[in-house]
Amino acid sequence: MHILLIGAGGREHALAWKLAQSPTLTRLSAAPGNPGIAQHATIIDVDTNDFAAVAQFCTDTAVGLVVVGPEAPLVAGLADVLRAAGIAVFGPSAAAAMLEGSKGFVKALCAAHAIPTAAFARHDDADSAIADLSRFGLPVVIKADGLAAGKGVIIATDAAEAVAAVRDMFDGSFGAAGTSIVIEEFMVGEEVSLFALCDGKTILPFGSAQDHKRVGDGDTGPNTGGMGAYSPAPCLTGELEAAAMENIIRPTVAAMAAAGSPYVGVLYAGLMLTAEGPKLVEYNCRFGDPECQVLLPRYRGDLAALLLAAATGRLDACDAPFSDDSAITIVMAAKGYPAAPAKGGAIRLPDAVPAHCQIFHAGTAQAGGALVANGGRVLNIGAQAADLASAQAAAYALVERVDFADGFYRKDIGWRGVK
Ligand code: AMP
Ligand code: GLY
């Protein structure tokens, strides 16, 4: 089977690496790609924002499956255009991607189907939102409704900050994403990520992970896309995972199917393990980045066959075998990330990588035969071992061997899981 992979980050390098090991894969193409993805795939010259051109490439080259990595093309309807052209896609339609594309949509769905989540209110103007703030207590969570690259969430610790956040959002600081906002009760607990593959009706659990969103050691400093992750999440016991599947993911997938927008792809649930049980923080309509980089090394099956089964409504015949190992990934970012990452920093990678370790490229580029930084998060250094502490030691040993003077990384990825 010829697969086309859409995306250009560390998540997509991990997908390319795993797909390349699949017996059912005969050819792998990718766009836009990156130098790491290019080790496993042919990078094609097709504008991924031009959905018709992507479909044309698929028809011309007998692509049997398109795997879409990031959320933006899904929310914009890439999967719809491809399906209309008869091409199998791993990834939800625009209507189903609303689970990530609109926070208000998700909260309304939770309310309609008694799915546990934070109490909330949706507002379309600043004055009504501000008048409503006080009943949520403090801290209070204020979210732009639409996609805001992970930056549209403000946790205000006092009333003045909450009012300022509301005004900011309606003043356009998050663009169109902020024309509607959601106010939420602040939930207390440990956060975990739970993944499930879906084919529209069947749900296949696909592992758990925890990430580190803050830029600095000890979970300090500004939020990022994620500075590292590990899998499985030790705090998500089998019992809690079963509760989340039963009370959160299953009713969501059923509701999407009943509404005529069946969910196909990977559903990524951000959960808060509260004193009352798991509650939904948010959904994403794709694999996490860098969570994907710790899930896939633990998956022991044929990924190409599995994603095709999800794309074609045949997940009921599948299982998802995972190794019992722990996996970790350390993000190496460019100095200045997340505000203003330095571009162009020289990178020298070790000639050989030990067994059970990987270096995935996130934001890299080739410049005159040399590898340079080309983004905020630049490399993902991963390792797997029988326990998380050993995986952590192996990953940091490999980080030490990467020569990236303009880069930095957190020294404590995995601390919560090791503890
Ligand atoms: P989101 O983009 O919705 O995942 O929000 C980003 C981060 O904000 C989450 O990972 C949580 O750490 C935090 N957060 C969001 N909503 C809540 C909430 N209702 N209570 C506590 N923390 C939250
Ligand atoms: N690492 C968080 C995300 O992918 O949304």
Side-chain angles (χ1 to χ4, degrees), residues 212-311:
H212 295 264
K213 287 201 167 62
R214 304 296 196 98
V215 75
D217 287 356
D219 295 325
T220 55
N223 258 323
T224 71
M227 293 298 291
Y230 50 97
S231 171
C235 62
L236 191 71
T237 61
E239 198 182 337
L240 289 172
E241 178 173 333
M245 279 292 164
E246 215 38 55
N247 304 333
I248 299 176
I249 294 195
R250 206 168 291 288
T252 300
V253 172
M256 296 304 289
S261 27
Y263 191 90
V264 174
V266 56
L267 186 58
Y268 159 3
L271 304 176
M272 191 75 81
L273 303 182
T274 74
E276 296 108 65
K279 292 190 182 179
L280 182 69
V281 178
E282 62 157 2
Y283 276 129
N284 295 301
C285 65
R286 40 137 185 118
F287 280 112
D289 187 346
E291 289 85 343
C292 187
Q293 292 88 308
V294 291
L295 290 178
L296 294 185
R298 296 186 52 237
Y299 174 66
R300 288 195 301 199
D302 179 332
L303 186 68
L306 184 68
L307 301 189
L308 180 66

Side-chain angles (χ1 to χ4, degrees), residues 9-417:
R11 166 181 50 210
E12 289 78 20
H13 186 181
L15 283 162
W17 168 81
K18 193 71 191 182
L19 287 169
Q21 299 167 38
S22 291
T24 46
L25 182 90
T26 53
R27 176 176 171 195
L28 185 59
S29 299
N34 71 30
I37 295 169
Q39 295 165 13
H40 311 286
T42 305
I43 307 300
I44 59 161
D45 184 20
V46 170
D47 176 1
T48 54
N49 297 311
D50 182 345
F51 298 168
V54 175
Q56 190 63 52
F57 171 83
C58 294
T59 307
D60 291 347
T61 62
V63 166
L65 176 68
V66 178
V67 176
V68 185
E71 65 277 15
L74 293 167
V75 172
L78 173 57
D80 305 75
V81 171
L82 294 172
R83 281 193 190 107
I87 300 153
V89 193
F90 181 77
S93 65
M98 287 284 277
L99 286 178
E100 175 162 2
S102 168
K103 302 204 185 274
F105 174 83
V106 173
K107 298 302 279 191
L109 182 130
C110 288
H113 298 277
I115 293 169
T117 188
F120 76 102
R122 186 177 186 167
H123 289 279
D124 298 320
D125 71 90
D127 291 336
S128 75
I130 288 165
D132 201 23
L133 277 172
S134 61
R135 74 185 165 99
F136 288 90
L138 289 169
V140 61
V141 184
I142 295 154
K143 301 183 176 181
D145 182 72
L147 287 187
K151 295 177 188 78
V153 176
I154 291 178
I155 298 175
T157 49
D158 63 54
E161 196 186 342
V163 170
V166 169
R167 292 225 182 275
D168 241 32
M169 287 195 184
F170 284 110
D171 285 349
S173 56
F174 298 99
T179 53
S180 174
I181 69 162
V182 170
I183 304 175
E184 282 183 23
E185 158 206 21
F186 180 77
M187 296 185 287
V188 178
E190 191 157 351
E191 268 190 273
V192 303
S193 302
L194 181 61
F195 298 84
L197 303 189
C198 308
D199 67 359
K201 44 188 196 300
T202 302
I203 301 166
L204 190 64
F206 202 70
S208 66
Q210 281 184 293
D211 77 342
H212 295 264
K213 287 201 167 62
R214 304 296 196 98
V215 75
D217 287 356
D219 295 325
T220 55
N223 258 323
T224 71
M227 293 298 291
Y230 50 97
S231 171
C235 62
L236 191 71
T237 61
E239 198 182 337
L240 289 172
E241 178 173 333
M245 279 292 164
E246 215 38 55
N247 304 333
I248 299 176
I249 294 195
R250 206 168 291 288
T252 300
V253 172
M256 296 304 289
S261 27
Y263 191 90
V264 174
V266 56
L267 186 58
Y268 159 3
L271 304 176
M272 191 75 81
L273 303 182
T274 74
E276 296 108 65
K279 292 190 182 179
L280 182 69
V281 178
E282 62 157 2
Y283 276 129
N284 295 301
C285 65
R286 40 137 185 118
F287 280 112
D289 187 346
E291 289 85 343
C292 187
Q293 292 88 308
V294 291
L295 290 178
L296 294 185
R298 296 186 52 237
Y299 174 66
R300 288 195 301 199
D302 179 332
L303 186 68
L306 184 68
L307 301 189
L308 180 66
T312 53
R314 293 183 292 108
L315 263 191
D316 53 347
C318 298
D319 60 358
F322 273 80
S323 100
D324 292 329
D325 282 0
S326 290
I328 195 166
T329 188
I330 318 293
V331 170
M332 298 187 80
K335 281 181 185 163
Y337 177 73
K343 267 205 170 185
I347 301 165
R348 260 187 58 95
L349 298 178
D351 292 328
V353 168
H356 309 295
C357 290
Q358 305 82 31
I359 296 179
F360 292 129
H361 294 233
T364 67
Q366 292 287 356
L371 192 66
V372 298
N374 183 38
R377 295 185 294 173
V378 177
L379 296 167
N380 307 138
I381 313 297
Q384 301 82 45
D387 59 82
L388 183 57
S390 306
Q392 188 188 46
Y396 276 111
L398 184 53
V399 165
E400 291 299 324
R401 295 174 50 209
V402 173
D403 182 359
F404 177 27
D406 278 348
F408 74 98
Y409 56 91
R410 276 183 59 165
K411 312 285 192 297
D412 62 349
I413 299 302
W415 69 265
R416 213 182 256 111

